[in-house]
Amino acid sequence: MESLTLTDIEQKYYSDLFVYCDTDNTKKVASNGRVLDLFRAAQLPSEVVLQITELCGATRLGHFGRSQFYIALKLIAIAQSGLPLRVESLNSVKDLPLPRFVVGKNEAEARHAALYQDTDSQGLYPASATAVIPRPPGRGLQNKKGPPSSTALPPEPTSPVVSPHQSPPTSPHSWRKHKRQHSGGNADRQPVVAATGAVWTQFREPQAGPVPGEGMWPSHSPPPPGQESWVSFTADTPPSSALPAMHPSSVQESTTIRTVASAATTNEIQRQSSGYDDPWKITDEQRQYYINQFKTIQPDLTGFIPGSAAKEFFTKSKLPILELSHIWELSDFDKDGALTLDEFCAAFHLVVARKNGYDLPEKLPESLMPKLIDLDDSAEVSESTADVGYSGSPVEVTPNKSPSMPSLNQAWPEMNQSNEQWETFSERSSSSQTLTQFDSNIAPADPDTAIVHPVPIRMTPSKIHMQEMELKRTGSGETTSAFPLLIDCDGYSSSDSFTSDQEPITRQRSQSGTSPEALKVVAPPPPPPRPHPSHSRSSSLDMNRTFAATSAPGQPQPSTIAFPPAVPPRPLPTQAEVAPGGGAVLTTTSPQQIPQQPNFADFSQFQAFAASEQPSSLPEKSSEGAGPLRTVKSDGQADERSSATVNSAKGSSGPLAPPPKPVRRRLKSEDELRPEDEQHGPQKSNVIAAVLATQPSIPRSVGKDKKAIQASIRRNKETNTVLARLNSELQQQLKDLLEERISLEVQLEQLRPFSHL
Amino acid sequence: MSAFLHTSLDVVEEKISAVGKSLGDQRELYLGLLYPTEDYKVYGYVTNSKVKFVIVVDSSNTSLRDNEIRSMFRKLHNSFTDVMCNPFHNPGDPIQSKAFDGIVSGMMVQTG
């Protein structure tokens, strides 16, 4: 028996098959059913099988020893690949794919074959299986072995095997396929298979390491998952199904695939032999796919994918953690815990290969070295595609990676289809969902922090005000009160429509919902601030409040404040007049006051105030002799007019109508009396009247827009302060004028006796 | 044998408690722990993350120089960090990295 040199893959495959056939555990396989079935499954003509058995010496020995068995298997592979059956070819054929066996037992074989297929055996098994039974004269086989026969064979066996074929290709993907039906994939697989077959042949040389293409199919190696699919295949291939499925569908698939592939491989081999022979090379399609996947994780192609993200991504491939860890070790070239695009592509490629059944290399293949990535953008894709590969590209990718470029390219589109399927099952969606969920979870946290601050964003001016109020309230630590306060604040703070108030209210409510915590955190300042605004309106009529509060916490207060001040000034001028001028002044002032009294009757306080102002102004005007006084008065008049105009502007509502009228009247009278100081008073009184007029109207507008009221209140306050100042100044001037008047009158009286004379 | 390992760990901890050692003891010589029937030396090494490496060397071998032990620890530390960088590796799990194992066995082979 000639020595037989087998590649590692072949060795493994053959040993598995031998074990499978060695039912008696005698280390030698008799021509029992299993062997026969196996050979039958090789889908070779009986003649071929006979020839094989003859060649391997089994006929001599009467049984299949291990070596004979191996030889037979190799011959089967040779036969399947269409090469002439010769003993010499046992060791001479380089890229012989593993023998493939159809169905059933073939599955098991196919699995092995798939595993070992990287390079060889593809055709062998099926050929041998089929050949076993007929045991035809070997010569005949030789003829068949020729390419035509090989091509003929593959089609034949493949035709029935086609279906399983398709399944086998899927079996590598079977991991993925378990999830879905192979049916769809099968059709796609075939070309892939063919491609891989060719690839495998080429793999022979590089086969030492990873057998990506074959690995893909050998991916059956994850037996359990594949089993299901494989079983289905067995059904497809009834004849071979008789054989126990060692690697059930996988074998069948692999066999069928191989048969198909063998045909294709021959062509491909020729092509590929001219091409590269690196089984780990990443095709452009794969690379692009990887790049796309990379982008899903890291939009920046020059950036890194952190280890955690990569872990999550690759975990979706359902590869064992140990293998993933190994892949990571291989692909993380710079050992930085993150994957660049190149590293990612390499990792993805390795994952795809692994999924297709290829064993992981001990060290990173050259084609996957990150440096390649630097050269090619596509390299980056590998990482991304790795993730995508899970979805279905892995299988496709690996075949693409395999030397059989053409086949890969063909397979690529198919894989793309399967990719979609892959993606469906990949957790990517879930991860993305989780990611999105995360984001949404993070968002709510912000409002809490925002609430603590006075400006929770999205605020209309009123809202901001409300929030400020809310802050004050939060200081008080009352969250519940915040709501009503907020509402009140809106009313008070904003001069906008209520709608805007409502929005802020709702928002603030939501915020306050989250803010309770924040509020609680805040030290509870005194509640008092809150009640103020609410009471402010009610207290508008609270004269005590207006008197007591100098600062105007509530808006109505200014209005109330305005009222009382209106009264006091009146007695002042009279008192002032009385003090310096004595009775004469009083008499003079009183008659002046009297004519104005009718005005008093019309309007209550502010009229009196105005009247009081007028008498005071009148005396001032009478003592107009003093230029400076007039200037002062003119100034005062100007001030009064300005204030009056302001007040008149304010007083526009209905109830305010009467008040403004007298004010206007006074303005008119002031204009008429302008040359006199009286205008000073009327203006002032008008101003005051206007202010007072506006004030009473405020309480009536309670039902109106709170914001408007608040604004008006503010305005009123301002005018009040202005008027107060004016008032004080005018009163001072009044006193001075009165004194001057008195002095002048005294002089006049003194001069009169002389005038009489 | 494991008892010695544990005792050596205790000694390492004892030395760790010493303040001012950034990397801990790079080596620790257990010459005194020579077992009557079995000569061996135990070297300890502590990383910044309190991960302890212990090397047990059979004294029957030609004694390793201290520098050699240090270089061994350095290599060990490097490959350990590489293993840790692997996101799929859960700290605490036994290290299953082939590369790591390869390096370790290589070192062992080197030192005989």
Side-chain angles (χ1 to χ4, degrees):
Chain A
M1 214 29 76
E2 54 281 354
S3 61
L4 183 63
T5 58
L6 299 174
T7 63
D8 294 341
I9 293 170
E10 286 177 338
Q11 185 71 29
K12 282 190 272 184
Y13 192 14
Y14 295 173
S15 64
D16 286 349
L17 289 174
F18 187 82
V19 169
Y20 174 74
C21 292
D22 191 10
T23 53
D24 298 334
N25 256 350
T26 57
K27 297 304 174 192
K28 62 180 181 183
V29 179
S31 302
N32 57 9
R34 281 205 178 178
V35 174
L36 294 177
D37 289 341
L38 183 67
F39 292 166
R40 198 180 301 121
Q43 297 186 328
L44 291 173
S46 59
E47 296 176 350
V48 176
V49 174
L50 283 177
Q51 185 183 12
I52 290 174
T53 52
E54 217 177 328
L55 283 174
C56 70
T59 50
R60 249 188 302 130
L61 298 178
H63 62 269
F64 283 94
R66 183 173 283 269
S67 57
Q68 287 80 35
F69 189 77
Y70 289 177
I71 291 170
L73 292 177
K74 182 125 189 185
L75 289 173
I76 289 173
I78 292 172
Q80 285 180 339
S81 58
L83 303 176
L85 263 186
R86 294 204 187 280
V87 174
E88 300 80 13
S89 62
L90 283 177
N91 296 328
S92 59
V93 178
K94 292 302 175 186
D95 294 336
L96 189 64
L98 292 173
R100 288 171 305 181
F101 298 88
V102 181
V103 184
K105 151 201 288 197
N106 288 345
E107 292 177 350
E109 292 181 349
R111 241 188 302 169
H112 292 293
L115 290 171
Y116 311 135
Q117 265 184 0
D118 301 341
T119 54
D120 305 322
S121 68
Q122 288 190 359
L124 289 177
Y125 283 114
S128 61
T130 56
V132 169
I133 300 170
R135 290 204 177 217
R139 299 313 118 197
L141 291 176
Q142 293 178 0
N143 298 334
K144 295 181 191 171
K145 297 313 172 175
S149 64
S150 64
T151 54
L153 284 178
E156 293 173 358
T158 52
S159 52
V161 182
V162 166
S163 52
H165 235 303
Q166 298 172 345
S167 50
T170 59
S171 59
H173 320 291
S174 61
W175 299 339
R176 308 169 284 213
K177 290 206 185 164
H178 307 325
K179 329 277 175 166
R180 33 183 201 147
Q181 292 313 312
H182 306 272
S183 57
N186 293 344
D188 298 339
R189 305 305 167 184
Q190 282 224 321
V192 176
V193 174
T196 55
V199 174
W200 294 334
T201 56
Q202 292 217 340
F203 277 139
R204 295 248 181 119
E205 299 170 1
Q207 66 173 233
V211 189
E214 305 214 342
M216 287 177 20
W217 293 349
S219 61
H220 305 316
S221 53
Q227 295 277 346
E228 306 169 6
S229 57
W230 296 333
V231 173
S232 63
F233 297 140
T234 55
D236 293 340
T237 61
S240 54
S241 61
L243 300 171
M246 282 171 30
H247 316 269
S249 53
S250 60
V251 174
Q252 293 181 2
E253 296 174 349
S254 59
T255 54
T256 56
I257 296 172
R258 292 181 199 134
T259 53
V260 173
S262 61
T265 53
T266 52
N267 299 332
E268 291 174 350
I269 290 171
Q270 295 169 3
R271 278 178 294 175
Q272 289 168 1
S273 57
S274 60
Y276 67 106
D277 53 358
D278 181 3
W280 291 107
K281 183 149 181 158
I282 304 177
T283 65
D284 291 338
E285 287 180 352
Q286 293 173 331
R287 195 154 287 254
Q288 196 53 45
Y289 188 62
Y290 297 156
I291 290 176
N292 293 337
Q293 288 304 311
F294 184 89
K295 281 183 191 163
T296 62
I297 304 179
Q298 167 67 279
D300 179 17
L301 289 181
T302 62
F304 290 89
I305 288 186
S308 54
K311 175 179 182 178
E312 188 181 338
F313 186 81
F314 286 106
T315 308
K316 288 190 257 174
S317 68
K318 311 275 187 188
L319 279 177
I321 294 292
L322 183 58
E323 294 187 5
L324 290 174
S325 177
H326 186 65
I327 288 175
W328 176 275
E329 279 185 21
L330 292 176
S331 54
D332 189 7
F333 202 62
D334 46 5
K335 303 290 181 198
D336 59 353
L339 296 178
T340 64
L341 189 53
D342 288 339
E343 294 174 345
F344 180 81
C345 291
F348 207 144
H349 206 57
L350 288 170
V351 168
V352 170
R354 194 73 186 104
K355 290 219 134 218
N356 288 315
Y358 286 91
D359 290 333
L360 295 178
E362 288 303 320
K363 57 175 189 173
L364 195 65
E366 228 180 51
S367 53
L368 295 180
M369 288 283 183
K371 62 175 184 280
L372 294 179
I373 298 175
D374 297 333
L375 300 177
D376 303 331
D377 295 337
S378 59
E380 299 174 344
V381 179
S382 63
E383 287 183 349
S384 55
T385 53
D387 298 339
V388 177
Y390 299 132
S391 56
S393 62
V395 178
E396 299 175 344
V397 173
T398 52
N400 291 342
K401 290 190 303 180
S402 60
S404 59
M405 286 296 293
S407 59
L408 291 175
N409 292 333
Q410 296 170 6
W412 194 238
E414 300 165 351
M415 287 171 52
N416 288 335
Q417 299 172 5
S418 59
N419 288 344
E420 298 173 355
Q421 298 174 347
W422 280 80
E423 293 177 1
T424 55
F425 100 88
S426 71
E427 294 97 309
R428 191 175 310 118
S429 59
S430 63
S431 65
S432 62
Q433 291 171 0
T434 57
L435 289 176
T436 54
Q437 290 170 359
F438 247 75
D439 294 337
S440 61
N441 290 334
I442 292 173
D446 293 338
D448 285 338
T449 57
I451 291 174
V452 176
H453 286 293
V455 190
I457 323 131
R458 44 164 115 124
M459 309 306 257
T460 62
S462 62
K463 232 194 169 156
I464 294 173
H465 183 80
M466 279 178 60
Q467 291 174 350
E468 291 174 349
M469 301 296 292
E470 181 184 346
L471 281 183
K472 296 176 187 174
R473 297 195 187 117
T474 58
S476 64
E478 294 180 355
T479 61
T480 54
S481 62
F483 285 102
L485 287 180
L486 293 178
I487 300 173
D488 293 343
C489 287
D490 275 344
Y492 291 119
S493 60
S494 69
S495 57
D496 299 339
S497 65
F498 276 116
T499 58
S500 60
D501 296 338
Q502 292 169 1
E503 292 175 357
I505 291 172
T506 56
R507 286 176 188 168
Q508 288 200 352
R509 279 179 184 164
S510 64
Q511 291 174 354
S512 58
T514 54
S515 66
E517 300 178 0
L519 295 176
K520 292 171 187 173
V521 174
V522 179
R530 183 171 45 152
H532 287 276
S534 59
H535 296 314
S536 59
R537 291 178 188 166
S538 60
S539 64
S540 61
L541 301 177
D542 186 357
M543 300 303 293
N544 296 331
R545 248 197 198 219
T546 56
F547 283 109
T550 55
S551 64
Q555 296 76 7
Q557 291 181 2
S559 61
T560 59
I561 292 175
F563 258 43
V567 177
R570 187 182 177 181
L572 290 179
T574 56
Q575 293 176 359
E577 295 172 355
V578 172
V585 176
L586 289 174
T587 56
T588 56
T589 56
S590 58
Q592 294 172 354
Q593 292 177 1
I594 292 171
Q596 296 174 357
Q597 283 177 359
N599 294 335
F600 296 161
D602 297 339
F603 310 96
S604 57
Q605 298 173 348
F606 45 79
Q607 283 184 354
F609 184 76
S612 64
E613 287 298 335
Q614 286 180 351
S616 60
S617 61
L618 289 175
E620 292 176 354
K621 293 176 184 176
S622 63
S623 61
E624 195 178 12
L629 289 175
R630 287 182 182 177
T631 57
V632 173
K633 290 174 186 177
S634 62
D635 294 339
Q637 291 173 1
D639 294 339
E640 285 182 348
R641 284 174 193 168
S642 62
S643 60
T645 53
V646 172
N647 290 334
S648 59
K650 287 181 183 177
S652 57
S653 59
L656 298 176
K661 288 179 185 176
V663 175
R664 290 169 197 155
R665 287 179 197 163
R666 295 203 179 108
L667 287 174
K668 291 181 184 176
S669 61
E670 286 177 359
D671 294 341
E672 296 171 359
L673 301 174
R674 192 160 288 184
E676 300 176 2
D677 294 341
E678 290 181 357
Q679 294 177 0
H680 193 64
Q683 288 175 355
K684 218 178 180 183
S685 63
N686 290 340
V687 171
I688 296 167
V691 171
L692 295 175
T694 56
Q695 300 304 337
S697 65
I698 292 173
R700 297 174 192 178
S701 62
V702 172
K704 295 185 182 179
D705 192 352
K706 294 181 181 178
K707 295 180 183 176
I709 291 172
Q710 289 175 346
S712 63
I713 287 172
R714 281 197 223 101
R715 276 183 253 120
N716 293 333
K717 286 184 189 175
E718 294 170 359
T719 56
N720 288 337
T721 55
V722 171
L723 292 176
R725 265 189 247 114
L726 253 181
N727 204 6
S728 61
E729 291 175 0
L730 291 175
Q731 288 177 6
Q732 188 62 36
Q733 291 174 6
L734 186 62
K735 290 178 186 177
D736 296 340
L737 290 175
L738 289 176
E739 288 181 359
E740 288 180 5
R741 181 187 175 185
I742 293 169
S743 64
L744 288 173
E745 288 179 357
V746 168
Q747 291 176 5
L748 186 62
E749 288 178 355
Q750 291 174 356
L751 291 174
R752 269 185 197 163
F754 299 98
S755 62
H756 290 165
L757 303 176
Chain B
M1 177 65 70
S2 60
F4 293 108
L5 206 61
H6 293 302
T7 53
S8 63
L9 282 177
D10 294 337
V11 178
V12 172
E13 299 240 357
E14 183 185 325
K15 301 221 173 176
I16 286 176
S17 61
V19 184
K21 306 225 169 177
S22 60
L23 276 184
D25 286 329
Q26 277 219 334
R27 72 159 178 122
E28 139 201 291
L29 222 46
Y30 266 172
L31 292 176
L33 266 188
L34 294 178
Y35 196 66
T37 62
E38 195 173 37
D39 293 350
Y40 68 95
K41 296 176 190 164
V42 179
Y43 294 96
Y45 183 86
V46 177
T47 67
N48 289 337
S49 53
K50 305 293 184 190
V51 177
K52 303 168 190 60
F53 296 115
V54 176
I55 293 181
V56 179
V57 181
D58 218 1
S59 291
S60 58
N61 296 332
T62 52
S63 294
L64 295 167
R65 289 202 311 271
D66 186 51
N67 288 338
E68 292 175 5
I69 300 287
R70 286 181 196 272
S71 66
M72 279 170 62
F73 274 122
R74 218 173 298 121
K75 276 193 243 172
L76 202 61
H77 196 175
N78 286 336
S79 34
F80 179 75
T81 52
D82 291 342
V83 170
M84 282 299 137
C85 280
N86 191 330
F88 299 103
H89 179 270
N90 301 318
D93 294 348
I95 295 177
Q96 290 158 323
S97 156
K98 292 185 199 159
F100 183 82
D101 296 340
I103 290 174
V104 172
S105 40
M107 280 199 316
M108 297 198 301
V109 168
Q110 264 180 1
T111 55

